[in-house]
Amino acid sequence: MSHLRVVADNTATASAPKSDPESASVVDDSLPLNEILQGDCVDLMNSLPEGSVDLIFADPPYNLQLGGDLSRPDNSVVDGVTESWDQYDSMDAYDLFTHDWLQAARRLLKPDGAIWVMGSYHNIFRVGTVLQDQKFWIQNDIIWRKTNPMPNFRGTRFTNAHETLIWATKSEDARPTFHYDAMKMMNDGVQMRSDWTLPICTGHERLKTEGGGKAHPTQKPESLLHRVILSTSNPGDVILDPFFGTGTTGAVAKKLGRHFIGLEREADYIAHARKRIAKVRPAGTEAIKITRSKRSEPRVPFATLVERGLIDIGTKLFSAKGNLTAKVRADGSLACDDGFEGSIHKVGAHLTDAPSCNGWTFWHTMNKDGLTPIDAIRTQIRAEMAQA
Amino acid sequence: MSHLRVVADNTATASAPKSDPESASVVDDSLPLNEILQGDCVDLMNSLPEGSVDLIFADPPYNLQLGGDLSRPDNSVVDGVTESWDQYDSMDAYDLFTHDWLQAARRLLKPDGAIWVMGSYHNIFRVGTVLQDQKFWIQNDIIWRKTNPMPNFRGTRFTNAHETLIWATKSEDARPTFHYDAMKMMNDGVQMRSDWTLPICTGHERLKTEGGGKAHPTQKPESLLHRVILSTSNPGDVILDPFFGTGTTGAVAKKLGRHFIGLEREADYIAHARKRIAKVRPAGTEAIKITRSKRSEPRVPFATLVERGLIDIGTKLFSAKGNLTAKVRADGSLACDDGFEGSIHKVGAHLTDAPSCNGWTFWHTMNKDGLTPIDAIRTQIRAEMAQA
DNA sequence: ACTCTACCTGAATCAGGCA
DNA sequence: TTGCCTGATTCAGGTAGAG
């Protein structure tokens, strides 16, 4: 192949399930799995074999067209997106760019593959139009509601508090992977809606430069990718990200036992992504199994704690006396040693042979201080949910 | 005028404020105010005077079954990017339709007028693209989060739980009406966000046919229009709805003391709308008043305070912490110890080494009770001016 | 080991009037 | 059109350091 393999990170390959018997996906051996390729994403995509990718996640430049500096009421200056990769001469130039990369993406996808593209009002209407013009079939538009967006400092508009994702297939007839029951489980027993409330990427998750600044101006939260990948791909699938940046897609794909292919132009971003992904520990094959049958309901979604990383996938939970245990799975369900699986409540009831059980008070996490009920963690999130 | 005046409902006219002195809008006497015109919306819009409308709210059809009399789209819809774009078929008709009615709408709008268009993923990307191609400038995209959406019965997708609205002006330079403070008030003291959580239209609000069925398949909730109209129009403004349906826009406009013009093809819908709007009681002029911005308050130069003796010449002013000081001079300028002199703003900026400073909130007078911001004294004067 | 506070920051198309 | 001046304007959450 003509492209340069900058990174060869095969740790995910080792632990990824070969194939899920219920959703076996054929992986092309010639693919540069779990690598980051440096270069123009259209060229790189065209160098890869046709119909070889299960899922594409793309966070393309938004073409923000920002004016001069923007300062906060306290006179501090907002660090805007001024990178050259977000600059286009005209809307036509942006449309052409969009057309080209989407066409290359379309070629790569398997017939029942799917693509996610995200954006803001600056670009998402262009993207959606090009997708439809290229005969992609929109399955949903998804709203990422940010719990903590940047305010509108001048009081001139509504707070721009969301971004939009489009989930589409290559055709109307395509039958994309969609884990309906897993999503329902994650959403407290009711259907997952088209609006997702998640915080932006801050704190330790946000990659920093040596100088302490942002490594990437638009790093996406892993919780967002968690939901995308869990809902519309299977373990062992190949997920391609043509605008890889600092590798959120790769990190979550590795964690969830999927293969990734990252395309990125900037060497700096690639270096950050490489280090980041190397640190990721894949969840075990049991942990990433998800609910395939209908389950009943916890009152507040335990999955939120998992999705937001407050409880890691695979974490062992304990009963108050510590004698009963279960492991946390990716969709917020639990699995215990005898093979029983279900919600935190169901599993608690099963192990105690009781008709019902409040999983929130039954289950505990173990740390150096001893056992902590998971309800304590829920309390944290509740404050956010109440406002959101 | 050549159009047919089907409905003459002038009850709103009587109670609508003549004009708000602080935001007087010029109303064209020849406009068919508070009426519903029957016919094709493009023809009707073209029969109305140019630049006569303050706000347009449009909920266009999502799936058009247009007749075969449409020509191929002209290249103005999608500015010719490349030849490879020519893959349109059925979408062409919808794009052309969108182009035509938006062009007519654009002509009707005053220079600082604004337009709202709502839709779902089936059509909103087409609408947004045409808006941008016609040089409309998007202010926000707004997400209507439905509290009670229709579930996805087959379990094949995420519950489609939202619709999208685009708020746009005719140009980047336009300065649309936006009642920031009113929105902030409505949202419990924090900025109104771009996602609005509101229930769909059900119960008594939903208009029924004599047979008991829905009078209109996509009747919008009045709460949605309430927020749109309150945020981006003034009492007495002219609001046009080119897809009037059963008249939600008219009903809320009348309630809030705005004028409406409704365009609708179907006589049935017009009949429902007429009965509905006739029942609406306009809120009183006091009731429709909203929290006003400081920007709209009359300007009071600092020198006025000195002139009126509310602050003596030579008074020492202090920063909030009391560590920075300056003395008031006869012309309302300040002088500080290092010899720098200028306006309250300039001196504040100088002493804090900031690019700018709001002197009204920066400077304080000292009395026995402590420090009082000079803005409090300005408030007194404004109250006096309001009475005079 | 706590609590409390001060400070920092995030995909942003972010002012208006007058000379 | 440009330049200058007035003066209006922020929310959630994480981090660091003080007490």
Side-chain angles (χ1 to χ4, degrees), chain A residues 60 65 72 121 150 154 206:
Chain A
Q65 306 172 253
R72 299 185 175 82
Y121 66 83
M150 188 162 75
R154 293 287 170 272
R206 188 92 196 203

Side-chain angles (χ1 to χ4, degrees), chain B residues 291-327:
Chain B
T291 308
R292 296 202 67 90
S293 156
K294 259 190 170 181
R295 284 192 189 95
S296 60
E297 302 269 349
R299 197 172 101 78
V300 177
F302 178 67
T304 303
L305 276 57
V306 181
E307 198 170 51
R308 298 208 187 172
L310 294 168
I311 292 186
D312 291 329
I313 298 167
T315 299
K316 200 170 186 180
L317 298 183
F318 300 83
S319 63
K321 291 179 181 172
N323 56 324
L324 301 173
T325 65
K327 276 190 179 173

Side-chain angles (χ1 to χ4, degrees), chain A residues 33-225:
Chain A
L33 294 183
N34 310 309
E35 296 188 16
I36 306 173
L37 312 181
Q38 184 175 16
D40 175 77
C41 73
V42 176
D43 295 341
L44 291 171
M45 282 192 275
N46 286 336
S47 77
L48 295 172
E50 184 175 345
S52 58
V53 167
D54 297 286
L55 190 69
I56 293 177
F57 180 87
D59 183 22
Y62 289 6
N63 190 23
L64 287 184
Q65 306 172 253
L66 301 179
D69 278 349
L70 174 65
S71 55
R72 299 185 175 82
D74 65 3
N75 276 326
S76 64
V77 176
V78 174
D79 184 13
V81 180
T82 54
E83 275 70 10
S84 60
W85 49 254
D86 198 46
Q87 311 293 325
Y88 293 85
D89 292 335
S90 65
M91 200 59 100
D92 280 353
Y94 187 80
D95 287 342
L96 184 57
F97 158 77
T98 303
H99 172 266
D100 288 348
W101 79 257
L102 278 174
Q103 194 169 59
R106 185 180 177 80
R107 178 185 152 274
L108 277 187
L109 279 179
K110 296 178 184 177
D112 283 336
I115 184 169
W116 289 81
V117 191
M118 68 182 298
S120 65
Y121 66 83
H122 308 85
N123 72 321
I124 199 64
F125 303 119
R126 322 305 297 193
V127 168
T129 294
V130 174
L131 278 168
Q132 291 178 315
D133 288 347
Q134 292 189 6
K135 308 303 178 197
F136 281 97
W137 193 254
I138 299 178
Q139 299 287 326
N140 276 116
D141 61 333
I142 297 291
I143 302 304
W144 171 26
R145 280 182 83 218
K146 304 178 185 182
T147 58
N148 48 351
M150 188 162 75
N152 180 292
F153 296 117
R154 293 287 170 272
T156 55
R157 301 180 175 191
F158 297 97
T159 308
N160 197 355
H162 73 275
E163 293 188 30
T164 301
L165 297 91
I166 299 175
W167 171 39
T169 50
K170 285 180 77 171
S171 73
E172 181 176 357
D173 301 328
R175 289 294 168 262
T177 299
F178 180 58
H179 295 298
Y180 173 81
D181 290 292
M183 287 299 102
K184 189 169 174 178
M185 172 64 75
M186 285 185 76
N187 197 37
D188 195 17
V190 295
Q191 293 185 343
M192 184 69 82
R193 298 164 44 109
S194 56
D195 59 290
W196 301 354
T197 303
L198 300 168
I200 62 175
C201 183
T202 59
H204 290 303
E205 189 184 327
R206 188 92 196 203
L207 299 182
K208 300 291 199 303
T209 62
E210 290 180 3
K214 294 182 262 191
H216 192 285
T218 69
Q219 186 182 339
K220 295 299 175 291
E222 296 196 2
S223 60
L224 185 69
L225 270 293

Side-chain angles (χ1 to χ4, degrees), chain A residues 214-286:
Chain A
K214 294 182 262 191
H216 192 285
T218 69
Q219 186 182 339
K220 295 299 175 291
E222 296 196 2
S223 60
L224 185 69
L225 270 293
H226 183 108
R227 201 173 287 187
V228 165
I229 290 175
L230 203 63
S231 63
T232 58
S233 76
N234 291 303
D237 275 2
V238 176
I239 302 175
L240 180 134
D241 185 335
F243 307 98
F244 202 62
T246 47
T248 305
T249 301
V252 178
K254 180 176 174 184
K255 186 168 74 175
L256 295 175
R258 276 73 168 171
H259 299 290
F260 70 86
I261 301 173
L263 313 181
E264 175 55 49
R265 283 196 308 200
E266 308 285 332
D268 266 6
Y269 298 158
I270 292 176
H272 278 288
R274 189 190 190 291
K275 275 167 60 178
R276 171 191 194 176
I277 294 171
K279 285 186 203 159
V280 173
R281 289 202 178 182
T285 54
E286 281 306 308

